[in-house]
Amino acid sequence: MKSNRWQISPVTEFSQISDAWDELNARNSKQGVLTAMFVQSLIDVFADDSLIILSKYQGNELSFSGIFEQKSAKRWGVFQPSQGPLGVCIADNKNIDRELIDEIVEQLPGPVWLLDLTQLDSAQYKQSDEQLDYLHYISTGSLAIPDDFDQYFSSFSKNTRQNINKSRNRLKKEGIETNLVVVTDPKAIVGAIEKYGEIESKSWKNSLGTAVNINNEQGQFYSNMLTAFAREGQAQVWCYQFNEQLVAVDLCVVHGSTITILKTTFDEAFARYSPSLLLKMDAYKALSKQGTIKHIEYFGKVMDWHRRLKCDERQLFHITWAKSQNVYRLMSWIKQKIKK
């Protein structure tokens, strides 16, 4: 029988477990946004040195690992920057139960009264332990790349098909040609991110201060991360043009046969043509023809356009552990009553 051992390391030493982390991801989550390369990029830009890596080994094999931050005196949580679609932790056997959480709490420094595991994927983890509290976060979507794109398109509602065809006909009538450019060259990634930021800075996101800019932390993260992925042939930036005018951009990473769309933006001056939707249609058609990528992950909140494109929905959720779970449940119930 393999013996268990736990190890605590500073977040600055993540590179030392990166190979074992990727092996753990390959056995379980199999997500590009949980690869060591993606996580290292999050660490480089958004983590401070107070974060720790907590790892469990069965024999010499990593069976759980996560990056944790102290949120208050007696509260800890998994590392969760807004650019990370999933909480930065992976558990073997696709299971996070009370027993594992009790072990995590025992290993964390100091007294722990609350522990938050955020943005877990229901495709990977069960919600079946009655001793834990699960909180719905969002419904997200995914899509199997169609083998027959025309058949896929014909499965849309009549209204969706008509709207897409109207946009294409309007563009043709106005003499506007569409062109999808897929940027994969590591040397071209930063320039593509800069163009993405220029478009997003003209949108409503700029007024909220959430727009990607090549000079802010978001821009730094996406530039560094996508360049690293591009060096491995695992990054795609979809750029959509009306004649020579760039009107929409999607930032994507590839892992195995899955592509994840991380960010999407379009020039609102061309909204009447639905450029982002046309970009998706042309990109999905190209992927269908190529046949190497079989699956698309969105990880954002399911929107109307996801449903119109026939995505499959599932839940992302949080787990909160409390030293006194009954007291926590009572306090949560009181808060809900106050809100009503």
Side-chain angles (χ1 to χ4, degrees), residues 201-219:
S201 66
K202 295 187 290 185
S203 74
W204 57 270
K205 289 186 178 181
N206 192 52
S207 62
L208 298 178
T210 59
V212 170
N213 182 291
I214 197 67
N215 296 314
N216 65 17
E217 282 190 334
Q218 283 200 78

Side-chain angles (χ1 to χ4, degrees), residues 155-163:
S155 72
F156 296 168
S157 69
K158 181 180 179 181
N159 186 55
T160 298
R161 295 197 309 272
Q162 286 180 339
N163 287 340

Side-chain angles (χ1 to χ4, degrees), residues 44 53 125 139 161 174 259 289 298:
D44 290 344
I53 309 164
Y125 300 115
S139 293
R161 295 197 309 272
E174 296 177 17
I259 189 166
K289 287 181 178 179
Y298 297 114

Side-chain angles (χ1 to χ4, degrees), residues 125-338:
Y125 300 115
K126 305 170 186 175
Q127 301 177 59
S128 57
D129 193 324
E130 293 182 358
Q131 299 182 73
L132 297 175
D133 287 301
Y134 304 98
L135 177 65
H136 172 76
Y137 171 54
I138 59 170
S139 293
T140 190
S142 62
L143 177 72
I145 298 294
D147 293 326
D148 186 326
F149 182 83
D150 291 336
Q151 185 177 4
Y152 166 66
F153 184 81
S154 68
S155 72
F156 296 168
S157 69
K158 181 180 179 181
N159 186 55
T160 298
R161 295 197 309 272
Q162 286 180 339
N163 287 340
I164 292 172
N165 288 332
K166 282 180 182 178
S167 292
R168 293 199 186 280
N169 290 336
R170 188 181 298 122
L171 289 165
K172 185 176 181 180
K173 185 177 181 180
E174 296 177 17
I176 299 173
E177 295 185 359
T178 61
N179 184 34
L180 172 67
V181 177
V182 180
V183 177
T184 59
D185 185 349
K187 296 178 182 178
I189 290 294
V190 173
I193 302 297
E194 189 168 13
K195 291 176 182 177
Y196 179 100
E198 289 171 359
I199 292 177
E200 195 163 76
S201 66
K202 295 187 290 185
S203 74
W204 57 270
K205 289 186 178 181
N206 192 52
S207 62
L208 298 178
T210 59
V212 170
N213 182 291
I214 197 67
N215 296 314
N216 65 17
E217 282 190 334
Q218 283 200 78
Q220 181 185 350
F221 165 71
Y222 287 111
S223 295
N224 295 351
M225 181 273 296
L226 285 168
T227 298
F229 271 76
R231 292 192 188 105
E232 303 298 323
Q234 297 174 358
Q236 294 188 12
V237 179
W238 298 345
C239 299
Y240 205 59
Q241 299 172 335
F242 288 172
N243 292 335
E244 300 300 316
Q245 177 73 45
L246 184 65
V247 295
V249 183
D250 281 11
L251 310 180
C252 313
V253 295
V254 178
H255 183 63
S257 60
T258 297
I259 189 166
T260 300
I261 302 175
L262 298 170
K263 295 281 286 184
T264 182
T265 193
F266 69 93
D267 191 329
E268 293 175 356
F270 297 89
R272 64 189 181 280
Y273 301 106
S274 302
S276 186
L277 188 60
L278 296 183
L279 166 96
K280 302 289 190 300
M281 289 294 89
D282 286 3
Y284 295 2
K285 187 173 184 178
L287 292 175
S288 178
K289 287 181 178 179
Q290 291 164 6
T292 53
I293 294 176
K294 302 293 185 182
H295 195 77
I296 296 172
E297 286 284 6
Y298 297 114
F299 281 126
K301 182 179 179 181
V302 169
M303 309 294 284
D304 179 60
W305 70 265
H306 292 108
R307 294 190 171 105
R308 282 187 283 150
L309 299 187
K310 314 289 279 190
C311 80
D312 296 317
E313 296 184 39
R314 68 181 189 276
Q315 187 182 114
L316 300 185
F317 65 95
H318 307 316
I319 294 176
T320 296
W321 170 94
K323 186 173 183 179
S324 177
Q325 205 75 15
N326 289 334
V327 172
Y328 173 77
R329 288 171 178 173
L330 176 61
M331 295 300 294
S332 298
W333 180 81
I334 292 172
K335 286 180 181 179
Q336 289 298 320
K337 287 294 183 181
I338 292 173

